[in-house]
Amino acid sequence: MSILERTRTSTPPAVALPIGPRTAAVLVLASLGGLMMLCWPLLLVAQPGDRVEPPFIFLALLPLVMVVVLAEMGEGGMDSRVLAVLGVLSAINAVMRGLGAGTAGIELVFFLLVLGGRVFGAGFGFVLGCTSLFASALLTAGVGPWLPFQMMCAAWVGMGAGLLPRRVTGRAEIVMLIAYAVVASYLYGMLMNLSFWPFTLGIVVPGHEGALAYVAGAPVLENAHRFLVYTLLTSTGGWDTGRAITTGIAIAVLGPAILTTLRRAARRAVVRPG
């Protein structure tokens, strides 16, 4: 290996699309809104047996919040070349999600989402998660009340990839991305379960004594325990594991080549500080 090659290998990759304080504040507010939208049943004060209605205002406001994030990212640093990369990656993800459709946990979206967030940064990863899931929903007729949850959770996956340590390079970087993708796959499945679990009544899993349904007004730890058991018994060993394996293998096989391609595209993009 030449001196130049060793230097390139040891140099930490820079963030292609850094985010400024204003954009970071918008991302934090959007994430807090998403967490409130997901976790409100566990924090709800109600009497046992009361009828619980979902806060539809969150579902109505979340798309608006995402539009604000997209507008802020556009004003804060995305030039036409970065927007072109965003459009291409979103389109590819939409097509690949249609091919897999989550059958048996096979997801072909998350590996490209992780790699894109790694190269272009947390803000780009957040936006890519939103646009990828939205485009795939339009392509596969998957628009429904679950879509805002999917968009927000996927946005967190991409944003988290952009927040990983930048000094890790080479094979260690691929290992780090695989480990992150596995953890993110399980967390995505858990958060998506939380989006509909409170409204599923009479949940009884064979081999487990007692119901696992949400109980309005029950202590937080009690409902959290029911939810975690429900997730472990219904999705962790199946859908979530399939998603983790698919994403990990895709990063291991395609990750180095795609990272190189994306970084070459990033070097050609003109980015203004946000």
Side-chain angles (χ1 to χ4, degrees):
M1 180 182 293
S2 66
I3 297 177
L4 178 59
E5 290 175 337
R6 288 197 298 268
T7 302
R8 288 178 177 175
T9 303
S10 60
T11 301
V15 179
L17 186 61
I19 58 176
R22 191 175 64 178
T23 302
V26 173
L27 291 175
V28 170
L29 291 176
S31 296
L32 289 177
L35 285 175
M36 291 177 62
M37 184 182 67
L38 286 166
C39 298
W40 68 267
L42 299 178
L43 306 176
L44 182 67
V45 177
Q47 297 298 323
D50 286 353
R51 182 178 179 180
V52 178
E53 296 288 348
F56 293 106
I57 187 173
F58 283 135
L59 295 179
L61 291 179
L62 186 59
L64 297 179
V65 172
M66 292 181 176
V67 170
V68 172
V69 173
L70 290 171
E72 181 63 29
M73 292 299 298
E75 294 179 359
M78 284 191 181
D79 71 348
S80 59
R81 297 181 184 180
V82 177
L83 289 174
V85 173
L86 175 64
V88 170
L89 294 182
S90 299
I92 293 174
N93 268 342
V95 173
M96 290 196 301
R97 191 161 189 258
L99 295 176
T103 305
I106 299 175
E107 288 280 5
L108 302 176
V109 172
F110 291 91
F111 86 94
L112 196 56
L113 182 57
V114 170
L115 298 177
R118 173 63 176 173
V119 173
F120 288 92
F124 182 93
F126 188 97
V127 176
L128 179 60
C130 293
T131 55
S132 294
L133 270 294
F134 182 74
S136 67
L138 295 179
L139 188 64
T140 60
V143 178
W146 54 84
L147 180 58
F149 298 100
Q150 291 177 334
M151 292 173 62
M152 179 58 71
C153 293
W156 285 333
V157 173
M159 183 174 67
L163 296 175
L164 293 174
R166 311 303 304 182
R167 301 186 67 84
V168 182
T169 60
R171 293 183 180 178
E173 180 183 28
I174 299 299
V175 173
M176 179 185 68
L177 293 177
I178 293 173
Y180 169 78
V182 170
V183 173
S185 296
Y186 284 108
L187 289 178
Y188 177 89
M190 184 178 68
L191 291 175
M192 287 306 302
N193 285 342
L194 185 57
S195 69
F196 64 81
W197 168 74
F199 313 109
T200 307
L201 303 178
I203 303 174
V204 178
V205 178
H208 180 270
E209 297 182 1
L212 298 176
Y214 168 74
V215 178
V220 174
L221 293 180
E222 183 179 326
N223 270 327
H225 177 264
R226 288 195 186 96
F227 170 69
L228 290 176
V229 173
Y230 167 80
T231 298
L232 288 173
L233 295 179
T234 58
S235 68
T236 300
W239 296 85
D240 299 342
T241 298
R243 183 184 302 109
I245 293 175
T246 303
T247 307
I249 292 176
I251 292 177
V253 175
L254 303 175
I258 293 179
L259 284 174
T260 300
T261 302
L262 291 178
R263 283 172 176 148
R264 185 180 299 116
R267 286 193 295 269
R268 296 177 180 177
V270 178
V271 179
R272 303 183 309 273

